[in-house]
Amino acid sequence: MMEKQWWKESVVYQVYPRSFNDSNGDGIGDIKGITEKLDYLKELGIDVIWLSPVYKSPNDDNGYDISDYKDIMDEFGTMADWEELLAEVHNRDMKLIMDLVVNHSSDEHAWFAESRKSKDNPYRDYYIWRPGKDGREPNNWESTFSGSAWQYDEATDEYFLHIFSKKQPDLNWENETLRHEVYDMMNWWLDKGIDGFRMDVINFISKEEGLPDAPNPEGKKYAGGGQFYINGPKIHDYLQEMHQEVMAKHDILTVGEMPGASVEDAKLYTDPNRKELNMVFTFEHMDLDSGPGGKWNFKPLRLRDLKENITKWQTGLHGIGWNSLYLNNHDQPRMVSRFGDDTRYRVESAKMLGTFLHMLQGTPYVYQGEEIGMTNIRFDSIDDYRDIEILNMYKEKVVEGNEPHDKVMESIHVKGRDNARTPMQWDATENAGFTTGTPWIQVNPNYTEINAEQAVQDENSIYHYYRQLIQLRKKNPTIVYGDYTLLDEENEKVYSYLRTYHDQKLLVVTNFSAEELNYEVPAEITEGELLIGNYIDVEGKLEKTIALRPYESRVYIG
Ligand code: NOJ
């Protein structure tokens, strides 16, 4: 029998502080700004806040490059502000989890400043240094943010590894002292009273012995390398050690961000008997609309691929580990623009997607602005973008390569991370009420219509619908613990599934298209009452045929 846990029954809300709420008019969101909005989050009904990094950082990658793990970024405020935030979160009976970014630090971290000084510096081995090979980099691995994953450093005539930007050198987890520095730091935050960690690319921390070249049949300058550092040889040892040193002493939520983790990997990471993590963020469903060329090479999503993938995770982890549920975050496009219709059926499709996700087994994550149906942004000029991944890719493809500006801009409009990073839209006043100054990235001009103030006032808004979804989960153990069966697998337009717990059944029917369709209810459920639906005028009883309107979703309980 599945063990009950508070983190299985919780809904998490992700705050990306830079874009959430600016309290001092410098154009950058900050910690006091978050504290000001806690009542809004409490009203929504969420249980846990995940705070993207607020630590000291030169902001090469918006805080995912940390120069001091135990201090707060100046633009975001002070440690006293953060302590006030934590206290106010707890006063409202919510919890706070922090982002743990320990695959890499900033190159401005004191450890790295020491490490680069000399080959015999005590901190040298905290990072991954290698001499060059045949006049070039130690291997052919490519950085996630374009170019080589190695940076030459003159002081010692060696290269250091950086899977992300060159200002994010990878930490060397082979080094036991470094590992214990990390565990001590985690315990230090836990002693301050936090409730868990979201762990950034945590399945990248163990690198293959010898750091071998990646196969490169196309003869490219740099060629991936992920197979040598994703789910690497010692990853489970490290996580078990971390568990023993940190997690075993606290009742906390842990979620590992894990690109390239399969459901088989996730069973190992999340089986409680193995003492590693509570849950992982899979990327598989985020990659279904990517072509062979990766994320920028997008293609339309086939609903059947989504069904196949979600079903694999739902059934694969059932009774073994635990799923996290998300359709967007600060690295992904806005879900309503990507999987719904962000113009004509914006409200309907956002509610439908919320229904689809919140009725699954797992812990749902809401990304800021999702609850009001915020949409992607289209800036015409590359100069309006801020994300290092976008800017490096544009430089490589357009400035240094031959690809046409328009084609690359289109891929940025569809897949770029800044889609999720435009400021939270609070009201219809200038800059969406996010700041009284000049925002660090432009506000989406649709804020005059799409904003939290409007959503809170309108009882039929996405926001109020999300409140209901969240309340239903709290009242209904079938939503949390029930098992999952996919229905009507072949249907290309409607995703439907059944949840069963003891003798209760839940039928979830979601129309992923703008068409009107007749849905024949499968024999698995014959009677039911409507639990929630995204159109207001629906009859209560389950009928044999459901006439679905564009992006309509219904949940019946029987
Ligand atoms: C994943 C984070 O979510 C992303 O924003 C960041 O750029 C990379 N990891 C590197 O830390």
Side-chain angles (χ1 to χ4, degrees), residues 226-460:
Q227 63 272 57
F228 300 120
Y229 58 76
I230 296 180
N231 309 310
K234 296 192 187 148
I235 182 65
H236 296 290
D237 298 343
Y238 296 155
L239 289 176
Q240 284 168 17
E241 183 180 73
M242 181 191 282
H243 191 284
Q244 190 186 329
E245 298 295 323
V246 182
M247 285 81 111
K249 303 169 191 165
H250 309 266
D251 178 21
I252 58 173
L253 186 161
T254 54
V255 52
E257 189 211 21
M258 296 211 176
S262 68
V263 71
E264 294 308 316
D265 298 316
K267 285 181 190 169
L268 300 176
Y269 289 123
T270 68
D271 176 350
N273 297 319
R274 294 175 47 85
K275 300 191 187 331
E276 297 184 18
L277 302 175
N278 296 157
M279 54 191 134
V280 307
F281 286 131
T282 163
F283 278 62
E284 287 190 346
H285 65 308
M286 290 286 110
D287 293 335
L288 297 174
D289 57 0
S290 297
K295 80 178 252 185
W296 303 113
N297 175 223
F298 55 92
K299 62 174 194 200
L301 173 78
R302 284 182 59 227
L303 187 62
R304 288 184 57 185
D305 291 344
L306 184 69
K307 289 182 182 180
E308 189 193 332
N309 186 264
I310 298 287
T311 302
K312 187 170 73 183
W313 283 80
Q314 287 286 300
T315 54
L317 291 188
H318 179 72
I320 297 174
W322 193 248
N323 272 292
S324 65
L325 307 170
Y326 75 98
L327 288 174
N328 49 199
N329 60 36
H330 67 292
D331 293 330
Q332 300 291 339
R334 289 281 176 184
M335 101 189 171
V336 69
S337 302
R338 187 179 189 178
F339 304 117
D341 173 343
D342 65 4
T343 51
R344 180 151 179 211
Y345 296 113
R346 186 183 66 86
V347 173
E348 292 82 356
S349 63
K351 290 178 182 174
M352 181 279 289
L353 291 166
T355 312
F356 160 70
L357 198 78
H358 281 249
M359 292 297 136
L360 291 169
Q361 189 187 78
T363 301
Y365 289 72
V366 180
Y367 178 63
Q368 67 185 39
E370 172 187 333
E371 77 282 12
I372 57 167
M374 279 178 63
T375 66
N376 279 354
I377 187 75
R378 294 175 80 90
F379 295 130
D380 293 330
S381 165
I382 190 68
D383 299 335
D384 289 331
Y385 284 92
R386 299 287 176 265
D387 172 23
I388 182 165
E389 182 186 40
I390 292 176
L391 299 177
N392 285 0
M393 184 279 284
Y394 182 88
K395 186 161 163 255
E396 186 183 85
K397 292 197 175 180
V398 180
V399 182
E400 291 157 6
N402 301 320
E403 294 197 28
H405 165 87
D406 289 351
K407 177 171 162 249
V408 172
M409 289 307 283
E410 184 56 23
S411 69
I412 294 171
H413 292 155
V414 175
K415 282 292 187 73
R417 304 197 297 182
D418 281 339
N419 280 311
R421 299 177 180 184
T422 61
M424 176 71 186
Q425 295 164 205
W426 292 107
D427 57 39
T429 65
E430 208 184 346
N431 291 318
F434 162 72
T435 180
T436 54
T438 307
W440 69 277
I441 184 169
Q442 282 172 47
V443 173
N444 191 319
N446 64 21
Y447 72 87
T448 49
E449 283 150 51
I450 304 174
N451 62 67
E453 189 180 58
Q454 183 283 329
V456 169
Q457 278 163 13
D458 172 4
E459 59 172 26
N460 292 319

Side-chain angles (χ1 to χ4, degrees), residues 197-213:
F197 293 103
R198 174 270 187 186
M199 304 185 182
D200 192 70
V201 289
I202 198 69
N203 62 332
F204 286 18
I205 59 178
S206 165
K207 276 80 176 171
E208 181 79 34
E209 176 97 53
L211 312 178
D213 271 327

Side-chain angles (χ1 to χ4, degrees), residues 14 16 50 52-53 60-65 99-104 144-145 163-165 168 198-202 204 257 259 281 283 329-332 387-389 417 421:
Q14 181 191 356
Y16 192 68
W50 150 27
S52 274
D60 193 48
D61 186 19
N62 289 355
Y64 282 92
D65 49 319
D99 220 305
L100 180 80
V101 189
V102 289
N103 173 69
H104 45 268
T144 306
F145 293 157
I163 290 168
F164 294 91
S165 96
Q168 293 168 298
R198 174 270 187 186
M199 304 185 182
D200 192 70
V201 289
I202 198 69
F204 286 18
E257 189 211 21
F281 286 131
F283 278 62
N329 60 36
H330 67 292
D331 293 330
Q332 300 291 339
D387 172 23
I388 182 165
E389 182 186 40
R417 304 197 297 182
R421 299 177 180 184

